[in-house]
Amino acid sequence: MVRGKTQMKRIENAASRQVTFSKRRNGLLKKAFELSVLCDAEVALIVFSPRGKLYEFSSASISKTIERYQKRTKDQGISSKAQENLQHLKEDSSSLTKKIELLETSKRRLLGDSLELCSIDELQQVENQLERSLSKVRARKNQLFREQIEKLREEERCQLQENAKLREKYGMPPLNLSSKQPEVLHGRSHVDVETELFIGPPK
């Protein structure tokens, strides 16, 4: 008599299900024992019956085998995480490489190189960028000029104050600063200069 193929689905009859569980449980435990002996493998088997009864087999200690299993899965989790981090690093590196290439292309275009393949829109973008950059350079230069002028004026004020202190210390009359200040005429500095040269007979 040929034995029919068992369908892989839950056995509805409770008695048949219990008989099948007992037979296959014993066969599974036997196979686990044979595997541990024949192959010198560390085997641990845990089975709970439908009613919650525990059946177990271990070639060593179940607790030690479980600890070994948990350690291995933890190490594999760390390894998997490292692989994910490595993949992210590769993606970041690829993205940075593309950005560097774009920056190098933009730099060459700003220097007037590699313009042959540029479209009108791209050339317009380069021109606009140059104008913005030139505007920023001029603004910075004017700011430095203003700072230098203010610094020179401050140094002039300090020197005038020091000069006044020295003249007062040695009993000299103070300077008439109003007659020595330069007058700006049509964008040029004009300074009145006092002289002791007289024309005519001496008195």
Side-chain angles (χ1 to χ4, degrees):
M1 181 177 179
V2 180
R3 183 178 178 182
K5 185 177 181 181
T6 303
Q7 295 183 355
M8 287 295 104
K9 66 178 184 178
R10 182 176 181 271
I11 300 174
E12 297 298 334
N13 184 276
S16 298
R17 186 166 63 246
Q18 182 61 36
V19 172
T20 301
F21 172 77
S22 298
K23 290 181 178 180
R24 291 185 177 262
R25 178 202 66 210
N26 293 334
L28 180 61
L29 293 173
K30 181 180 178 182
K31 291 294 184 182
F33 169 74
E34 292 174 352
L35 179 64
S36 65
V37 174
L38 295 175
C39 303
D40 194 23
E42 183 177 348
V43 180
L45 176 64
I46 299 175
V47 179
F48 284 97
S49 70
R51 297 180 180 180
K53 187 176 180 180
L54 172 65
Y55 300 89
E56 64 182 52
F57 166 80
S58 176
S59 59
S61 168
I62 284 187
S63 60
K64 291 182 178 180
T65 303
I66 292 176
E67 289 177 2
R68 182 179 179 184
Y69 168 77
Q70 291 175 339
K71 183 177 184 301
R72 176 60 61 87
T73 54
K74 182 179 179 181
D75 293 341
Q76 289 178 347
I78 294 174
S79 177
S80 176
K81 187 175 181 180
Q83 290 292 335
E84 292 178 0
N85 293 336
L86 180 60
Q87 182 63 29
H88 289 318
L89 289 174
K90 289 181 179 178
E91 293 175 357
D92 292 342
S93 176
S94 177
S95 176
L96 288 174
T97 301
K98 292 180 180 178
K99 290 181 179 180
I100 291 173
E101 290 176 354
L102 291 175
L103 289 173
E104 289 292 337
T105 301
S106 176
K107 177 183 176 182
R108 288 194 298 269
R109 290 178 178 178
L110 290 174
L111 293 175
D113 299 330
S114 304
L115 299 178
E116 296 80 6
L117 301 178
C118 292
S119 64
I120 295 178
D121 292 338
E122 291 174 337
L123 290 174
Q124 185 64 48
Q125 292 177 1
V126 173
E127 183 180 0
N128 293 339
Q129 180 62 46
L130 287 172
E131 290 177 352
R132 289 193 296 267
S133 300
L134 183 59
S135 177
K136 292 180 180 179
V137 170
R138 287 173 176 169
R140 177 57 180 165
K141 183 180 69 173
N142 291 334
Q143 179 184 356
L144 291 176
F145 279 153
R146 289 193 295 270
E147 291 176 357
Q148 290 178 357
I149 291 172
E150 184 60 32
K151 183 178 179 181
L152 291 173
R153 287 176 177 172
E154 181 63 26
E155 291 178 356
E156 181 186 13
R157 285 193 292 268
C158 292
Q159 291 177 0
L160 290 174
Q161 291 176 1
E162 185 67 22
N163 186 282
K165 290 179 181 179
L166 291 174
R167 295 180 71 88
E168 181 180 0
K169 179 178 179 181
Y170 292 101
M172 299 175 65
L175 290 175
N176 187 4
L177 299 179
S178 60
S179 63
K180 295 183 179 293
Q181 292 295 328
E183 298 178 358
V184 180
L185 299 175
H186 303 290
R188 298 181 179 180
S189 296
H190 174 73
V191 181
D192 292 334
V193 179
E194 297 181 356
T195 178
E196 297 182 356
L197 179 61
F198 296 95
I199 300 177
K203 297 182 180 180

